[in-house]
Short mmCIF file of all heavy atoms in Angstrom, two decimals:
data_model
loop_
_atom_site.label_atom_id
_atom_site.label_comp_id
_atom_site.label_asym_id
_atom_site.label_seq_id
_atom_site.Cartn_x
_atom_site.Cartn_y
_atom_site.Cartn_z
N MET K 1 10.80 -7.58 9.51
CA MET K 1 9.34 -7.48 9.62
C MET K 1 8.67 -8.08 8.39
O MET K 1 9.06 -7.80 7.26
CB MET K 1 8.95 -6.00 9.76
CG MET K 1 7.47 -5.80 10.02
SD MET K 1 7.09 -4.03 10.02
CE MET K 1 5.76 -4.01 8.83
N MET K 2 7.68 -8.91 8.63
CA MET K 2 6.99 -9.52 7.51
C MET K 2 5.82 -8.64 7.07
O MET K 2 4.99 -8.26 7.87
CB MET K 2 6.47 -10.90 7.90
CG MET K 2 6.44 -11.86 6.73
SD MET K 2 5.78 -13.49 7.23
CE MET K 2 4.04 -13.12 7.32
N GLN K 3 5.80 -8.36 5.80
CA GLN K 3 4.72 -7.54 5.27
C GLN K 3 3.80 -8.39 4.43
O GLN K 3 4.23 -8.99 3.46
CB GLN K 3 5.30 -6.39 4.45
CG GLN K 3 4.27 -5.38 4.01
CD GLN K 3 4.90 -4.25 3.21
OE1 GLN K 3 5.83 -3.62 3.67
NE2 GLN K 3 4.41 -4.04 2.01
N LYS K 4 2.53 -8.46 4.79
CA LYS K 4 1.64 -9.31 4.03
C LYS K 4 0.61 -8.51 3.25
O LYS K 4 -0.17 -9.05 2.49
CB LYS K 4 0.96 -10.33 4.93
CG LYS K 4 0.04 -9.74 5.96
CD LYS K 4 -0.70 -10.88 6.67
CE LYS K 4 -1.88 -10.35 7.45
NZ LYS K 4 -2.76 -11.42 7.92
N HIS K 5 0.64 -7.20 3.43
CA HIS K 5 -0.29 -6.37 2.68
C HIS K 5 0.48 -5.67 1.57
O HIS K 5 1.70 -5.80 1.46
CB HIS K 5 -0.98 -5.38 3.61
CG HIS K 5 -1.81 -6.08 4.66
ND1 HIS K 5 -3.02 -6.67 4.39
CD2 HIS K 5 -1.58 -6.30 5.98
CE1 HIS K 5 -3.50 -7.23 5.49
NE2 HIS K 5 -2.65 -7.02 6.47
N CYS K 6 -0.24 -4.89 0.76
CA CYS K 6 0.36 -4.33 -0.45
C CYS K 6 1.45 -3.30 -0.17
O CYS K 6 2.38 -3.15 -0.96
CB CYS K 6 -0.74 -3.72 -1.31
SG CYS K 6 -1.76 -2.53 -0.41
N CYS K 7 1.36 -2.57 0.91
CA CYS K 7 2.35 -1.54 1.19
C CYS K 7 2.43 -1.29 2.70
O CYS K 7 1.61 -1.80 3.46
CB CYS K 7 1.99 -0.24 0.46
SG CYS K 7 0.39 0.45 0.95
N GLU K 8 3.39 -0.51 3.11
CA GLU K 8 3.59 -0.25 4.53
C GLU K 8 2.38 0.42 5.17
O GLU K 8 2.03 0.13 6.31
CB GLU K 8 4.80 0.68 4.72
CG GLU K 8 6.09 -0.08 4.94
CD GLU K 8 7.27 0.87 5.11
OE1 GLU K 8 7.11 1.89 5.81
OE2 GLU K 8 8.34 0.58 4.54
N ASP K 9 1.76 1.33 4.43
CA ASP K 9 0.60 2.03 4.98
C ASP K 9 -0.55 1.07 5.25
O ASP K 9 -1.16 1.10 6.30
CB ASP K 9 0.14 3.13 4.01
CG ASP K 9 1.09 4.31 4.02
OD1 ASP K 9 1.61 4.64 5.10
OD2 ASP K 9 1.31 4.90 2.96
N MET K 10 -0.82 0.21 4.28
CA MET K 10 -1.90 -0.76 4.45
C MET K 10 -1.56 -1.73 5.57
O MET K 10 -2.42 -2.10 6.36
CB MET K 10 -2.16 -1.50 3.15
CG MET K 10 -3.31 -2.49 3.25
SD MET K 10 -4.87 -1.74 3.82
CE MET K 10 -5.68 -1.48 2.24
N ASP K 11 -0.32 -2.14 5.63
CA ASP K 11 0.15 -3.02 6.69
C ASP K 11 -0.15 -2.40 8.05
O ASP K 11 -0.67 -3.05 8.95
CB ASP K 11 1.66 -3.24 6.53
CG ASP K 11 2.04 -4.68 6.75
OD1 ASP K 11 1.27 -5.57 6.36
OD2 ASP K 11 3.12 -4.92 7.33
N TYR K 12 0.20 -1.14 8.16
CA TYR K 12 -0.01 -0.43 9.42
C TYR K 12 -1.49 -0.37 9.76
O TYR K 12 -1.89 -0.70 10.88
CB TYR K 12 0.57 0.98 9.32
CG TYR K 12 0.24 1.84 10.52
CD1 TYR K 12 0.96 1.71 11.71
CD2 TYR K 12 -0.81 2.76 10.46
CE1 TYR K 12 0.63 2.48 12.82
CE2 TYR K 12 -1.14 3.53 11.57
CZ TYR K 12 -0.42 3.39 12.74
OH TYR K 12 -0.75 4.15 13.82
N HIS K 13 -2.30 0.05 8.82
CA HIS K 13 -3.72 0.27 9.12
C HIS K 13 -4.50 -1.03 9.29
O HIS K 13 -5.39 -1.11 10.13
CB HIS K 13 -4.35 1.15 8.04
CG HIS K 13 -3.90 2.58 8.13
ND1 HIS K 13 -4.39 3.44 9.08
CD2 HIS K 13 -2.99 3.27 7.41
CE1 HIS K 13 -3.81 4.62 8.93
NE2 HIS K 13 -2.95 4.54 7.94
N ALA K 14 -4.15 -2.04 8.49
CA ALA K 14 -4.86 -3.31 8.60
C ALA K 14 -4.54 -4.00 9.93
O ALA K 14 -5.36 -4.72 10.49
CB ALA K 14 -4.52 -4.22 7.42
N ASN K 15 -3.32 -3.77 10.43
CA ASN K 15 -2.91 -4.42 11.68
C ASN K 15 -3.09 -3.55 12.91
O ASN K 15 -2.81 -3.97 14.02
CB ASN K 15 -1.43 -4.83 11.60
CG ASN K 15 -1.20 -5.90 10.57
OD1 ASN K 15 -1.97 -6.84 10.46
ND2 ASN K 15 -0.13 -5.76 9.79
N PHE K 16 -3.54 -2.32 12.67
CA PHE K 16 -3.64 -1.37 13.76
C PHE K 16 -4.59 -1.87 14.86
O PHE K 16 -5.71 -2.28 14.58
CB PHE K 16 -4.15 -0.02 13.24
CG PHE K 16 -4.31 1.03 14.30
CD1 PHE K 16 -3.24 1.78 14.71
CD2 PHE K 16 -5.55 1.25 14.88
CE1 PHE K 16 -3.39 2.76 15.69
CE2 PHE K 16 -5.72 2.23 15.87
CZ PHE K 16 -4.63 2.98 16.27
N THR K 17 -4.13 -1.86 16.09
CA THR K 17 -5.02 -2.14 17.21
C THR K 17 -4.90 -1.02 18.23
O THR K 17 -3.82 -0.49 18.45
CB THR K 17 -4.70 -3.48 17.91
OG1 THR K 17 -3.30 -3.53 18.18
CG2 THR K 17 -5.11 -4.66 17.06
N CYS K 18 -6.01 -0.68 18.82
CA CYS K 18 -6.07 0.42 19.77
C CYS K 18 -6.16 -0.13 21.19
O CYS K 18 -6.83 -1.13 21.43
CB CYS K 18 -7.28 1.28 19.45
SG CYS K 18 -7.49 2.65 20.58
N ASP K 19 -5.45 0.51 22.10
CA ASP K 19 -5.49 0.09 23.51
C ASP K 19 -6.78 0.51 24.20
O ASP K 19 -7.19 -0.08 25.19
CB ASP K 19 -4.33 0.74 24.28
CG ASP K 19 -2.98 0.34 23.73
OD1 ASP K 19 -2.91 -0.74 23.10
OD2 ASP K 19 -2.02 1.09 23.92
N ILE K 20 -7.39 1.55 23.67
CA ILE K 20 -8.56 2.12 24.34
C ILE K 20 -9.86 1.48 23.87
O ILE K 20 -10.71 1.12 24.67
CB ILE K 20 -8.63 3.65 24.10
CG1 ILE K 20 -7.33 4.30 24.58
CG2 ILE K 20 -9.84 4.25 24.81
CD1 ILE K 20 -7.05 5.67 23.97
N HIS K 21 -9.97 1.34 22.55
CA HIS K 21 -11.22 0.83 21.99
C HIS K 21 -11.10 -0.64 21.61
O HIS K 21 -10.33 -1.00 20.73
CB HIS K 21 -11.61 1.64 20.75
CG HIS K 21 -11.67 3.12 21.01
ND1 HIS K 21 -10.62 3.95 20.72
CD2 HIS K 21 -12.64 3.89 21.56
CE1 HIS K 21 -10.96 5.20 21.07
NE2 HIS K 21 -12.17 5.19 21.58
N GLU K 22 -11.89 -1.45 22.29
CA GLU K 22 -11.87 -2.89 22.02
C GLU K 22 -12.50 -3.18 20.67
O GLU K 22 -12.04 -4.03 19.92
CB GLU K 22 -12.64 -3.60 23.13
CG GLU K 22 -12.05 -4.94 23.53
CD GLU K 22 -12.80 -5.53 24.71
OE1 GLU K 22 -12.67 -4.99 25.83
OE2 GLU K 22 -13.53 -6.50 24.49
N ASP K 23 -13.57 -2.48 20.38
CA ASP K 23 -14.28 -2.64 19.13
C ASP K 23 -13.69 -1.67 18.10
O ASP K 23 -13.70 -0.46 18.32
CB ASP K 23 -15.77 -2.33 19.36
CG ASP K 23 -16.61 -2.59 18.12
OD1 ASP K 23 -16.03 -2.67 17.01
OD2 ASP K 23 -17.83 -2.71 18.26
N PRO K 24 -13.17 -2.19 17.00
CA PRO K 24 -12.55 -1.31 16.00
C PRO K 24 -13.50 -0.24 15.47
O PRO K 24 -13.06 0.83 15.06
CB PRO K 24 -12.13 -2.26 14.88
CG PRO K 24 -12.82 -3.55 15.14
CD PRO K 24 -13.10 -3.61 16.61
N PHE K 25 -14.79 -0.56 15.49
CA PHE K 25 -15.77 0.41 14.98
C PHE K 25 -15.96 1.59 15.94
O PHE K 25 -16.56 2.59 15.58
CB PHE K 25 -17.10 -0.28 14.69
CG PHE K 25 -17.01 -1.22 13.52
CD1 PHE K 25 -16.87 -2.58 13.73
CD2 PHE K 25 -17.04 -0.74 12.22
CE1 PHE K 25 -16.76 -3.46 12.65
CE2 PHE K 25 -16.94 -1.60 11.13
CZ PHE K 25 -16.80 -2.96 11.35
N ASP K 26 -15.48 1.44 17.17
CA ASP K 26 -15.57 2.53 18.14
C ASP K 26 -14.36 3.45 18.07
O ASP K 26 -14.35 4.51 18.67
CB ASP K 26 -15.65 1.96 19.57
CG ASP K 26 -17.01 1.34 19.85
OD1 ASP K 26 -17.97 1.68 19.14
OD2 ASP K 26 -17.08 0.51 20.78
N CYS K 27 -13.33 3.02 17.39
CA CYS K 27 -12.08 3.76 17.40
C CYS K 27 -11.94 4.68 16.20
O CYS K 27 -11.93 4.22 15.06
CB CYS K 27 -10.91 2.79 17.43
SG CYS K 27 -9.33 3.65 17.49
N PRO K 28 -11.83 5.98 16.43
CA PRO K 28 -11.71 6.93 15.33
C PRO K 28 -10.38 6.81 14.58
O PRO K 28 -10.24 7.32 13.47
CB PRO K 28 -11.84 8.29 16.00
CG PRO K 28 -11.53 8.07 17.44
CD PRO K 28 -11.89 6.66 17.75
N ASP K 29 -9.40 6.15 15.20
CA ASP K 29 -8.09 6.01 14.55
C ASP K 29 -8.01 4.78 13.65
O ASP K 29 -7.06 4.61 12.89
CB ASP K 29 -6.98 5.90 15.61
CG ASP K 29 -6.89 7.16 16.46
OD1 ASP K 29 -7.06 8.25 15.89
OD2 ASP K 29 -6.66 7.03 17.66
N LYS K 30 -8.99 3.92 13.78
CA LYS K 30 -9.00 2.69 13.00
C LYS K 30 -9.72 2.95 11.68
O LYS K 30 -10.90 3.26 11.66
CB LYS K 30 -9.70 1.59 13.82
CG LYS K 30 -9.83 0.25 13.14
CD LYS K 30 -8.56 -0.54 13.17
CE LYS K 30 -8.77 -1.91 12.52
NZ LYS K 30 -7.49 -2.50 12.12
N LEU K 31 -8.99 2.83 10.58
CA LEU K 31 -9.56 3.18 9.28
C LEU K 31 -9.95 1.96 8.46
O LEU K 31 -10.92 1.98 7.71
CB LEU K 31 -8.55 4.00 8.46
CG LEU K 31 -8.04 5.31 9.07
CD1 LEU K 31 -7.02 5.94 8.13
CD2 LEU K 31 -9.19 6.26 9.32
N ILE K 32 -9.16 0.92 8.58
CA ILE K 32 -9.33 -0.25 7.71
C ILE K 32 -9.68 -1.47 8.54
O ILE K 32 -9.07 -1.75 9.56
CB ILE K 32 -8.02 -0.53 6.94
CG1 ILE K 32 -7.67 0.63 6.00
CG2 ILE K 32 -8.12 -1.84 6.17
CD1 ILE K 32 -8.58 0.80 4.80
N ILE K 33 -10.69 -2.18 8.08
CA ILE K 33 -11.02 -3.45 8.70
C ILE K 33 -10.65 -4.54 7.69
O ILE K 33 -10.97 -4.45 6.52
CB ILE K 33 -12.52 -3.50 9.11
CG1 ILE K 33 -12.81 -4.75 9.93
CG2 ILE K 33 -13.47 -3.39 7.94
CD1 ILE K 33 -12.94 -4.44 11.41
N TYR K 34 -9.90 -5.50 8.17
CA TYR K 34 -9.43 -6.55 7.27
C TYR K 34 -10.02 -7.89 7.70
O TYR K 34 -9.91 -8.27 8.86
CB TYR K 34 -7.90 -6.62 7.28
CG TYR K 34 -7.32 -7.74 6.46
CD1 TYR K 34 -7.54 -7.79 5.09
CD2 TYR K 34 -6.56 -8.75 7.06
CE1 TYR K 34 -7.02 -8.82 4.33
CE2 TYR K 34 -6.04 -9.78 6.30
CZ TYR K 34 -6.27 -9.81 4.94
OH TYR K 34 -5.75 -10.84 4.20
N ASN K 35 -10.67 -8.55 6.76
CA ASN K 35 -11.24 -9.86 7.04
C ASN K 35 -10.28 -10.94 6.58
O ASN K 35 -10.11 -11.18 5.38
CB ASN K 35 -12.60 -9.99 6.32
CG ASN K 35 -13.32 -11.27 6.71
OD1 ASN K 35 -12.71 -12.33 6.82
ND2 ASN K 35 -14.61 -11.16 6.91
N GLU K 36 -9.62 -11.54 7.54
CA GLU K 36 -8.58 -12.53 7.28
C GLU K 36 -9.11 -13.70 6.45
O GLU K 36 -8.45 -14.17 5.53
CB GLU K 36 -8.05 -13.04 8.62
CG GLU K 36 -6.80 -13.89 8.54
CD GLU K 36 -5.52 -13.07 8.61
OE1 GLU K 36 -5.48 -12.10 9.40
OE2 GLU K 36 -4.59 -13.39 7.86
N LYS K 37 -10.32 -14.15 6.77
CA LYS K 37 -10.90 -15.32 6.09
C LYS K 37 -11.23 -15.02 4.64
O LYS K 37 -10.90 -15.77 3.75
CB LYS K 37 -12.19 -15.76 6.81
CG LYS K 37 -11.95 -16.80 7.88
CD LYS K 37 -13.28 -17.37 8.36
CE LYS K 37 -13.08 -18.16 9.65
NZ LYS K 37 -14.30 -18.18 10.47
N LYS K 38 -11.91 -13.89 4.44
CA LYS K 38 -12.38 -13.57 3.10
C LYS K 38 -11.35 -12.77 2.31
O LYS K 38 -11.53 -12.49 1.13
CB LYS K 38 -13.69 -12.80 3.19
CG LYS K 38 -14.86 -13.68 3.62
CD LYS K 38 -16.01 -12.88 4.21
CE LYS K 38 -16.72 -12.00 3.19
NZ LYS K 38 -17.72 -11.12 3.84
N LYS K 39 -10.27 -12.33 2.99
CA LYS K 39 -9.26 -11.47 2.38
C LYS K 39 -9.89 -10.20 1.80
O LYS K 39 -9.57 -9.74 0.72
CB LYS K 39 -8.48 -12.22 1.27
CG LYS K 39 -7.83 -13.51 1.76
CD LYS K 39 -6.33 -13.34 1.94
CE LYS K 39 -5.63 -14.64 2.31
NZ LYS K 39 -5.80 -15.02 3.73
N ASP K 40 -10.83 -9.69 2.58
CA ASP K 40 -11.56 -8.50 2.20
C ASP K 40 -11.06 -7.29 2.97
O ASP K 40 -10.81 -7.38 4.17
CB ASP K 40 -13.04 -8.66 2.56
CG ASP K 40 -13.86 -9.22 1.44
OD1 ASP K 40 -13.29 -9.42 0.34
OD2 ASP K 40 -15.05 -9.47 1.66
N TYR K 41 -10.97 -6.17 2.29
CA TYR K 41 -10.60 -4.93 2.96
C TYR K 41 -11.81 -4.00 2.98
O TYR K 41 -12.51 -3.88 1.98
CB TYR K 41 -9.46 -4.22 2.22
CG TYR K 41 -8.15 -4.97 2.25
CD1 TYR K 41 -7.89 -5.98 1.34
CD2 TYR K 41 -7.18 -4.63 3.18
CE1 TYR K 41 -6.68 -6.66 1.35
CE2 TYR K 41 -5.97 -5.30 3.20
CZ TYR K 41 -5.73 -6.32 2.28
OH TYR K 41 -4.52 -6.98 2.30
N GLY K 42 -12.03 -3.39 4.10
CA GLY K 42 -13.14 -2.45 4.19
C GLY K 42 -12.71 -1.15 4.83
O GLY K 42 -11.83 -1.12 5.69
N LEU K 43 -13.33 -0.09 4.36
CA LEU K 43 -13.09 1.23 4.92
C LEU K 43 -14.19 1.49 5.95
O LEU K 43 -15.37 1.47 5.62
CB LEU K 43 -13.16 2.26 3.79
CG LEU K 43 -12.59 3.65 4.02
CD1 LEU K 43 -11.12 3.61 4.34
CD2 LEU K 43 -12.84 4.49 2.77
N ILE K 44 -13.79 1.72 7.19
CA ILE K 44 -14.77 1.88 8.27
C ILE K 44 -15.46 3.23 8.17
O ILE K 44 -14.81 4.26 8.00
CB ILE K 44 -14.10 1.72 9.65
CG1 ILE K 44 -13.60 0.28 9.83
CG2 ILE K 44 -15.07 2.09 10.77
CD1 ILE K 44 -12.90 0.05 11.15
N ILE K 45 -16.78 3.19 8.27
CA ILE K 45 -17.54 4.43 8.32
C ILE K 45 -17.93 4.65 9.77
O ILE K 45 -18.66 3.84 10.36
CB ILE K 45 -18.82 4.34 7.46
CG1 ILE K 45 -18.47 3.93 6.03
CG2 ILE K 45 -19.57 5.66 7.49
CD1 ILE K 45 -19.63 3.34 5.28
N HIS K 46 -17.41 5.71 10.35
CA HIS K 46 -17.66 5.94 11.77
C HIS K 46 -18.98 6.68 11.97
O HIS K 46 -19.02 7.88 12.18
CB HIS K 46 -16.48 6.70 12.40
CG HIS K 46 -15.26 5.86 12.52
ND1 HIS K 46 -15.17 4.81 13.42
CD2 HIS K 46 -14.08 5.86 11.85
CE1 HIS K 46 -13.98 4.24 13.30
NE2 HIS K 46 -13.31 4.85 12.35
N ASP K 47 -20.06 5.90 11.88
CA ASP K 47 -21.39 6.48 12.06
C ASP K 47 -22.04 5.96 13.33
O ASP K 47 -23.24 6.05 13.52
CB ASP K 47 -22.26 6.18 10.84
CG ASP K 47 -22.46 4.69 10.64
OD1 ASP K 47 -21.86 3.89 11.40
OD2 ASP K 47 -23.21 4.32 9.72
N GLY K 48 -21.24 5.35 14.19
CA GLY K 48 -21.76 4.82 15.44
C GLY K 48 -22.20 3.38 15.33
O GLY K 48 -22.46 2.72 16.33
N GLY K 49 -22.28 2.89 14.12
CA GLY K 49 -22.66 1.49 13.91
C GLY K 49 -21.46 0.67 13.51
O GLY K 49 -20.35 0.95 13.95
N SER K 50 -21.67 -0.32 12.69
CA SER K 50 -20.54 -1.15 12.26
C SER K 50 -20.51 -1.24 10.74
O SER K 50 -20.30 -2.30 10.17
CB SER K 50 -20.61 -2.53 12.90
OG SER K 50 -21.81 -3.17 12.56
N SER K 51 -20.76 -0.10 10.08
CA SER K 51 -20.76 -0.13 8.63
C SER K 51 -19.37 0.11 8.06
O SER K 51 -18.53 0.77 8.67
CB SER K 51 -21.73 0.90 8.05
OG SER K 51 -21.95 1.95 8.93
N HIS K 52 -19.14 -0.49 6.90
CA HIS K 52 -17.89 -0.26 6.19
C HIS K 52 -18.14 -0.41 4.71
O HIS K 52 -19.09 -1.05 4.29
CB HIS K 52 -16.81 -1.23 6.67
CG HIS K 52 -17.07 -2.66 6.33
ND1 HIS K 52 -17.82 -3.48 7.11
CD2 HIS K 52 -16.66 -3.41 5.27
CE1 HIS K 52 -17.87 -4.69 6.57
NE2 HIS K 52 -17.18 -4.68 5.43
N ILE K 53 -17.27 0.20 3.93
CA ILE K 53 -17.33 0.07 2.48
C ILE K 53 -16.23 -0.87 2.04
O ILE K 53 -15.07 -0.67 2.43
CB ILE K 53 -17.10 1.44 1.78
CG1 ILE K 53 -18.05 2.50 2.32
CG2 ILE K 53 -17.22 1.31 0.28
CD1 ILE K 53 -17.72 3.90 1.82
N GLU K 54 -16.58 -1.86 1.29
CA GLU K 54 -15.54 -2.74 0.77
C GLU K 54 -14.74 -2.01 -0.29
O GLU K 54 -15.31 -1.32 -1.14
CB GLU K 54 -16.17 -4.00 0.15
CG GLU K 54 -16.32 -5.11 1.17
CD GLU K 54 -16.81 -6.41 0.56
OE1 GLU K 54 -16.37 -6.75 -0.55
OE2 GLU K 54 -17.64 -7.06 1.22
N ILE K 55 -13.43 -2.15 -0.20
CA ILE K 55 -12.60 -1.45 -1.18
C ILE K 55 -11.81 -2.45 -2.02
O ILE K 55 -11.36 -3.48 -1.52
CB ILE K 55 -11.64 -0.43 -0.50
CG1 ILE K 55 -10.89 -1.06 0.68
CG2 ILE K 55 -12.40 0.80 -0.05
CD1 ILE K 55 -9.80 -0.17 1.24
N GLY K 56 -11.69 -2.17 -3.29
CA GLY K 56 -11.01 -3.07 -4.22
C GLY K 56 -9.60 -2.61 -4.51
O GLY K 56 -8.80 -3.36 -5.06
N PHE K 57 -9.30 -1.37 -4.12
CA PHE K 57 -7.97 -0.82 -4.36
C PHE K 57 -7.45 -0.16 -3.10
O PHE K 57 -8.21 0.42 -2.34
CB PHE K 57 -7.98 0.20 -5.50
CG PHE K 57 -8.30 -0.41 -6.85
CD1 PHE K 57 -9.60 -0.49 -7.29
CD2 PHE K 57 -7.28 -0.95 -7.63
CE1 PHE K 57 -9.90 -1.09 -8.52
CE2 PHE K 57 -7.58 -1.53 -8.85
CZ PHE K 57 -8.89 -1.61 -9.31
N CYS K 58 -6.16 -0.24 -2.91
CA CYS K 58 -5.55 0.37 -1.75
C CYS K 58 -5.60 1.89 -1.88
O CYS K 58 -5.20 2.44 -2.89
CB CYS K 58 -4.09 -0.08 -1.63
SG CYS K 58 -3.19 0.76 -0.32
N PRO K 59 -6.11 2.56 -0.83
CA PRO K 59 -6.19 4.03 -0.89
C PRO K 59 -4.81 4.71 -0.85
O PRO K 59 -4.68 5.88 -1.19
CB PRO K 59 -6.99 4.42 0.34
CG PRO K 59 -7.22 3.19 1.13
CD PRO K 59 -6.67 2.02 0.39
N TRP K 60 -3.79 3.96 -0.45
CA TRP K 60 -2.45 4.56 -0.34
C TRP K 60 -1.59 4.31 -1.57
O TRP K 60 -1.01 5.22 -2.13
CB TRP K 60 -1.75 4.07 0.93
CG TRP K 60 -2.43 4.59 2.15
CD1 TRP K 60 -2.30 5.84 2.69
CD2 TRP K 60 -3.40 3.91 2.95
NE1 TRP K 60 -3.14 5.97 3.76
CE2 TRP K 60 -3.81 4.80 3.96
CE3 TRP K 60 -3.96 2.62 2.91
CZ2 TRP K 60 -4.76 4.47 4.93
CZ3 TRP K 60 -4.89 2.27 3.89
CH2 TRP K 60 -5.27 3.19 4.87
N CYS K 61 -1.49 3.05 -2.00
CA CYS K 61 -0.59 2.77 -3.12
C CYS K 61 -1.33 2.44 -4.42
O CYS K 61 -0.72 2.38 -5.47
CB CYS K 61 0.38 1.64 -2.76
SG CYS K 61 -0.38 0.01 -2.72
N GLY K 62 -2.66 2.22 -4.32
CA GLY K 62 -3.45 1.99 -5.53
C GLY K 62 -3.45 0.56 -6.05
O GLY K 62 -4.04 0.29 -7.08
N SER K 63 -2.82 -0.35 -5.32
CA SER K 63 -2.78 -1.74 -5.76
C SER K 63 -4.16 -2.37 -5.64
O SER K 63 -4.94 -2.04 -4.76
CB SER K 63 -1.85 -2.57 -4.87
OG SER K 63 -0.53 -2.15 -4.98
N ALA K 64 -4.46 -3.31 -6.56
CA ALA K 64 -5.69 -4.09 -6.45
C ALA K 64 -5.57 -4.99 -5.23
O ALA K 64 -4.54 -5.61 -5.01
CB ALA K 64 -5.89 -4.91 -7.71
N LEU K 65 -6.63 -5.05 -4.45
CA LEU K 65 -6.59 -5.82 -3.21
C LEU K 65 -7.22 -7.20 -3.42
O LEU K 65 -8.07 -7.38 -4.23
CB LEU K 65 -7.33 -5.07 -2.10
CG LEU K 65 -6.74 -3.70 -1.75
CD1 LEU K 65 -7.68 -2.95 -0.82
CD2 LEU K 65 -5.38 -3.83 -1.12
ZN1 ZN R 1 -1.14 -0.36 -0.55
ZN1 ZN R 2 -9.02 3.99 19.67
#
């Protein structure tokens, strides 16, 4: 398995896709939104909209992102 994120946890969450919710912002299980182009990581805020907080460090392993 190829790992392109800082750790297994981030790999899992950044790549997580849900069968039920097409929009990641609708899915309560989706925590991290990853922008492939900008290489940006965001923490999804489930407030019914599409807000997220950009994060500079991995919440699991603490690596700079
Ligand atoms: Zn990590
Ligand atoms: Zn879901």
Side-chain angles (χ1 to χ4, degrees):
M1 186 185 127
M2 211 181 76
Q3 187 179 306
K4 65 173 195 169
H5 298 285
C6 54
C7 61
E8 267 180 42
D9 287 323
M10 182 56 98
D11 223 37
Y12 172 80
H13 288 284
N15 294 318
F16 179 84
T17 48
C18 179
D19 299 336
I20 303 159
H21 307 97
E22 216 176 289
D23 185 342
F25 292 100
D26 287 339
C27 181
D29 297 322
K30 179 78 178 160
L31 302 178
I32 296 290
I33 188 103
Y34 176 62
N35 187 318
E36 190 89 40
K37 268 191 194 153
K38 288 158 68 187
K39 305 255 185 283
D40 268 356
Y41 294 83
L43 197 60
I44 294 179
I45 306 159
H46 289 290
D47 62 356
S50 59
S51 25
H52 67 274
I53 306 171
E54 270 186 40
I55 49 172
F57 294 91
C58 174
W60 293 281
C61 73
S63 295
L65 300 170

